[in-house]
Amino acid sequence: MAGEIVMSTRPLNRAAILGVGSMGHGIAQLLAMTGTEVTMVDINEEILTKARQKIQWSIEKFVEKRTIRKEDAETTLARLHATTNFEEAFKNADLIVEAAPENLELKKKLFAQMDKVAPKHVILGSNTSTLSITELGKATNRPDKVVGLHFFNPPQMMPLLEIIKGAQTSDETIRFALDLAKKLGKTPVLVKRDVRGFIVNGILAAVFNEAFWTVERKEATKDEIDAAMKYQAGFPMGIFELADFVGLDILNSVAKEMEEAFGARAKACPIYQPLVKAGKLGQKTGEGFYSWSAGRPRIQFELADRFDPNRLHTMAANAAAWLVHEDVATPQDIDTAMKFGTGWPSGPCELADKMGIDTVIKNLNELHAKHPEPMYEPCPLLIEYAKNGWLGKKAGRGFHKYK
């Protein structure tokens, strides 16, 4: 992806970050560390003070680890400004990044406000992880300048930036976003069509959902799945462990978005609904699928061989195939996104090629015979690949070409 970047002629001297909670303060820090004057804006002084304290703590850690010099830390902090006044924050900006909570109506109101106050040249970005960039663009009179800039948590550390093209986002705005990624030292992946979940959360949603349905149907336990995915597949966390880490309320919102967008293909499993209703949302509340009262849960190594990771790899491969089939992203960008955004050792397209496209189709057909649901129907792209003899690594071509 990086080799395709065309330099943008748009300046980026000043930026504003709207919403400096869990993600926004990290984005503000990242921009300030790379030479941009940044104004943080939020609804009250308390939030702004906490954001600055978190940034100061983070920058001090960089100095301790000798990632940056002390004088660079001081310069970075000097580039950070804060206000509760929208007009003051936006009047001299070249870029505004919205990082408010994941609520479409709230974000649309904020985009309308940004559009009203900000100069006409300003690019409006959203750090949404799931919601429609096209809909946010419609809330403004500049949909060509609205773009998805999905950072990963923490933004100062995570190497990936998903860049999402709305229906009316201009090529010039995309060039600006790609250039921004380069300036920030990020690896960009381009989401060419505005679909719910984009790349990373779209594929994660399919994997989470299958793990949840597997336990709901009593075909495996959460402990068996997590042990297999961590110790056999090499995932950084088990699936249920990651669900707790993300937050079951957030997963619930994403699942609703995905089901609304894709229907029965993304039929949400209700397994975590009782936990959400009880306020057991995962790590942040001390309990979810696991108890976090004593810290990170222990995933039992001795259970690692009781579940086949290829079941979840198959669902990830099918979700990736739909993204390629619908011209949302390239196989290369999909694999890059999952490795850099989630720490997977291999991307889903690489996994599919290694398993064999014919094996992926066979696995899906077996699941469909057992559970006749649309989520198990092979993507037409996989069928096309199989007809062409593109069965993956063993055939020299699948999602990727091999010598």
Side-chain angles (χ1 to χ4, degrees):
M1 189 70 238
E4 299 170 19
I5 294 177
V6 178
M7 293 293 285
S8 169
T9 56
R10 284 184 168 275
L12 177 54
N13 300 313
R14 295 180 180 85
I17 308 299
L18 175 56
V20 288
S22 59
M23 290 283 284
H25 72 273
I27 299 169
Q29 178 185 330
L30 181 62
L31 281 158
M33 286 177 73
T34 48
T36 302
E37 291 288 325
V38 181
T39 300
M40 302 184 290
V41 58
D42 216 309
I43 55 174
N44 63 52
E45 293 290 349
E46 185 184 353
I47 295 171
L48 293 168
T49 300
K50 283 182 180 176
R52 191 166 185 93
Q53 288 169 347
K54 288 175 182 175
I55 291 169
Q56 186 144 4
W57 178 86
S58 175
I59 287 176
E60 285 171 0
K61 288 294 178 187
F62 277 108
V63 173
E64 279 178 29
K65 293 176 182 176
R66 300 187 177 183
T67 307
I68 62 172
R69 297 176 301 176
K70 190 176 180 183
E71 52 266 42
D72 293 332
E74 290 167 357
T75 306
T76 295
L77 288 168
R79 292 193 190 105
L80 287 161
H81 317 281
T83 182
T84 56
N85 186 309
F86 275 36
E87 287 193 33
E88 184 185 330
F90 302 156
K91 66 183 179 183
N92 295 317
D94 301 307
L95 166 71
I96 304 170
V97 180
E98 166 274 313
E102 285 287 271
N103 180 300
L104 183 60
E105 291 310 311
L106 169 64
K107 287 182 186 283
K108 283 164 74 172
K109 285 177 186 173
L110 292 173
F111 267 78
Q113 286 180 274
M114 289 191 291
D115 180 53
K116 189 176 179 182
V117 175
K120 293 299 177 189
H121 77 282
V122 177
I123 301 292
L124 306 180
S126 176
N127 185 51
T128 179
S129 57
T130 309
L131 302 175
S132 171
I133 300 303
T134 302
E135 287 302 309
L136 297 180
K138 286 178 183 176
T140 75
N141 291 308
R142 62 180 96 186
D144 59 311
K145 293 183 176 70
V146 174
V147 63
L149 298 171
H150 181 210
F151 292 86
F152 288 73
N153 208 3
Q156 310 94 308
M157 304 294 291
M158 294 294 282
L160 185 70
L161 177 61
E162 279 187 317
I163 295 170
I164 302 97
K165 190 178 193 301
Q168 294 189 60
T169 306
S170 70
D171 290 344
E172 184 185 2
T173 298
I174 293 299
R175 282 196 295 272
F176 175 88
L178 290 167
D179 194 35
L180 173 67
K182 185 178 180 181
K183 175 184 171 77
L184 300 178
K186 300 300 178 190
T187 298
V189 291
L190 180 60
V191 182
K192 297 182 281 182
R193 285 186 61 241
D194 183 17
V195 298
R196 298 294 60 73
F198 315 136
I199 298 172
V200 173
N201 284 330
I203 289 172
L204 277 181
V207 170
F208 276 128
N209 212 29
E210 182 58 19
F212 295 162
W213 277 117
T214 302
V215 173
E216 178 80 358
R217 294 168 180 147
K218 302 190 183 334
E219 294 170 336
T221 68
K222 70 173 175 58
D223 302 272
E224 290 167 349
I225 291 173
D226 277 8
M229 299 315 291
K230 188 165 183 175
Y231 302 121
Q232 277 196 66
F235 282 23
M237 299 178 96
I239 303 300
F240 291 84
E241 182 186 14
L242 179 59
D244 274 358
F245 186 78
V246 170
L248 303 188
D249 52 339
I250 293 171
L251 285 188
N252 191 36
S253 297
V254 171
K256 285 177 181 175
E257 282 286 328
M258 297 299 287
E259 190 166 10
E260 187 178 311
F262 300 110
R265 203 172 96 200
K267 181 181 174 184
C269 178
I271 191 171
Y272 50 82
Q273 293 298 340
L275 293 170
V276 172
K277 285 176 183 172
K280 297 177 180 179
L281 306 179
Q283 184 193 35
K284 61 189 171 187
T285 60
E287 189 174 356
F289 285 113
Y290 292 98
S291 170
W292 292 76
S293 56
R296 190 169 171 176
R298 178 183 169 268
I299 309 299
Q300 301 173 66
F301 179 79
E302 55 271 24
L303 300 178
D305 62 353
R306 297 191 187 181
F307 178 78
D308 184 0
N310 281 339
R311 178 162 178 172
L312 300 191
H313 291 161
T314 293
M315 299 308 293
N318 204 35
W322 279 108
L323 291 175
V324 177
H325 181 62
E326 294 174 347
D327 197 32
V328 174
T330 64
Q332 181 182 347
D333 273 0
I334 291 167
D335 284 346
T336 297
M338 296 312 292
K339 288 187 286 188
F340 283 24
T342 68
W344 286 14
S346 300
C349 299
E350 293 170 326
L351 287 167
D353 282 353
K354 188 178 177 183
M355 274 195 289
I357 301 298
D358 49 343
T359 301
V360 173
I361 294 170
K362 175 176 168 286
N363 291 347
L364 286 165
N365 286 336
E366 286 176 358
L367 284 165
H368 191 262
K370 196 172 181 182
H371 310 290
E373 300 273 2
M375 68 181 79
Y376 299 118
E377 292 172 2
C379 173
L381 184 81
L382 296 174
I383 306 299
E384 182 187 331
Y385 279 7
K387 284 180 180 175
N388 291 337
W390 300 348
L391 300 180
K393 209 163 184 179
K394 62 189 176 187
R397 179 166 182 178
F399 281 100
H400 302 285
K401 289 181 182 177
Y402 302 87
K403 290 180 182 178

